[in-house]
Amino acid sequence: MARVSQEHLDARRRQILDGAARCFARNGFHATSMQDVLKEVDLSAGAVYRYFSGKEELIAAIVGEVLGQVHEGFEAAAHSSPPPPPDLLVASVLGGVLASRESVTVDGRPAFPRLVVQVWTETLRNDELAALLREGYGAVQDAWTRIAEGYQDAGMMRSDVPPDRVARTMMAAAMGFLAQQALFGPASSEVLRDGLRALMSVQDHSSVNLLETRSN
């Protein structure tokens, strides 16, 4: 019997994950059965169960893959000196995640933002999935905290704000942008980039006035 190549195995796994993602985004986690996934990917039960034992393992694999990609992008920035500015960094990482999944659609719209909202909802009742997200988001927050420290060390950011608060704020911006896409439709990551860039240009008038007073 001919040995199946790793490339074939990886392609089959990708087929199953993308099909499951479409099902979950379209109908929700609870309304989707494994039979729905089998029909979506047009594979036998044996072919699918060779890779995943059920819905829980499928959603965990999808979540883990996405969080790993996000963490990898921000972790690389955390090792830069100095890190790229927030507007470029967030747009680059988030844009990469969206682009890598733009072919997975539901009713002609990207499935990924809708899937993200479904996952967040599921964590309210699924402790294992909630733990997976806490671990993944914790790693991303740690990377962003070190990025903020890099900004402060380089004199790019004021030093009187704890870096972990900057991290949570940047994560909230990215998560909120995904939620908006699920609600209102697709938008380029450049929208988030430009919005952050504009906010970064806002002058702190209290500091400006203090400097002017001192100079007089």
Side-chain angles (χ1 to χ4, degrees), residues 202-216:
V202 172
Q203 294 288 328
D204 185 344
H205 289 292
S206 61
S207 298
V208 172
N209 292 337
L210 179 60
L211 289 173
E212 291 177 346
T213 301
R214 288 178 176 176
S215 64
N216 291 333

Side-chain angles (χ1 to χ4, degrees), residues 67-100:
L67 287 175
Q69 185 178 356
V70 172
H71 177 248
E72 181 180 343
F74 289 131
E75 186 66 29
H79 291 282
S80 301
S81 183
D87 55 334
L88 297 180
L89 176 55
V90 174
S92 173
V93 173
L94 192 58
V97 172
L98 292 171
S100 67

Side-chain angles (χ1 to χ4, degrees), residues 162-199:
D164 65 303
R165 297 187 181 183
V166 177
R168 293 190 64 143
T169 300
M170 297 310 301
M171 290 174 62
M175 294 165 73
F177 186 67
L178 287 175
Q180 284 188 358
Q181 296 204 44
L183 292 170
F184 309 131
S188 168
S189 61
E190 281 73 21
V191 173
L192 182 59
R193 178 201 65 193
D194 294 345
L196 288 172
R197 183 172 297 169
L199 289 173

Side-chain angles (χ1 to χ4, degrees), residues 62-208:
I62 294 169
V63 170
E65 184 178 67
V66 173
L67 287 175
Q69 185 178 356
V70 172
H71 177 248
E72 181 180 343
F74 289 131
E75 186 66 29
H79 291 282
S80 301
S81 183
D87 55 334
L88 297 180
L89 176 55
V90 174
S92 173
V93 173
L94 192 58
V97 172
L98 292 171
S100 67
R101 288 160 177 80
E102 63 183 358
S103 63
V104 182
T105 61
V106 172
D107 300 328
R109 294 170 56 172
F112 178 62
R114 293 174 61 174
L115 178 63
V116 169
V117 174
Q118 294 284 356
V119 169
W120 291 341
T121 302
E122 179 63 15
T123 61
L124 299 177
R125 61 164 296 279
N126 187 324
D127 292 339
E128 291 185 6
L129 183 59
L132 178 63
L133 255 69
R134 281 195 298 271
E135 180 180 357
Y137 283 138
V140 174
Q141 183 176 345
D142 177 70
W144 251 111
T145 298
R146 287 181 281 118
I147 291 170
E149 291 171 346
Y151 292 150
Q152 291 176 338
D153 291 342
M156 299 167 60
M157 177 182 289
R158 55 191 298 168
S159 60
D160 60 341
V161 177
D164 65 303
R165 297 187 181 183
V166 177
R168 293 190 64 143
T169 300
M170 297 310 301
M171 290 174 62
M175 294 165 73
F177 186 67
L178 287 175
Q180 284 188 358
Q181 296 204 44
L183 292 170
F184 309 131
S188 168
S189 61
E190 281 73 21
V191 173
L192 182 59
R193 178 201 65 193
D194 294 345
L196 288 172
R197 183 172 297 169
L199 289 173
M200 289 162 59
S201 70
V202 172
Q203 294 288 328
D204 185 344
H205 289 292
S206 61
S207 298
V208 172

Side-chain angles (χ1 to χ4, degrees), residues 8-46:
H8 174 82
L9 294 173
D10 292 343
R12 180 56 54 84
R13 186 176 189 274
R14 177 82 273 144
Q15 177 186 356
I16 296 169
L17 286 175
D18 289 348
R22 285 192 295 270
C23 288
F24 295 147
R26 182 188 300 122
N27 301 319
F29 187 73
H30 292 288
T32 297
S33 67
M34 282 302 291
Q35 193 62 39
D36 294 327
V37 175
L38 298 179
K39 183 178 179 180
E40 182 73 27
V41 300
D42 194 24
L43 292 173
S44 68

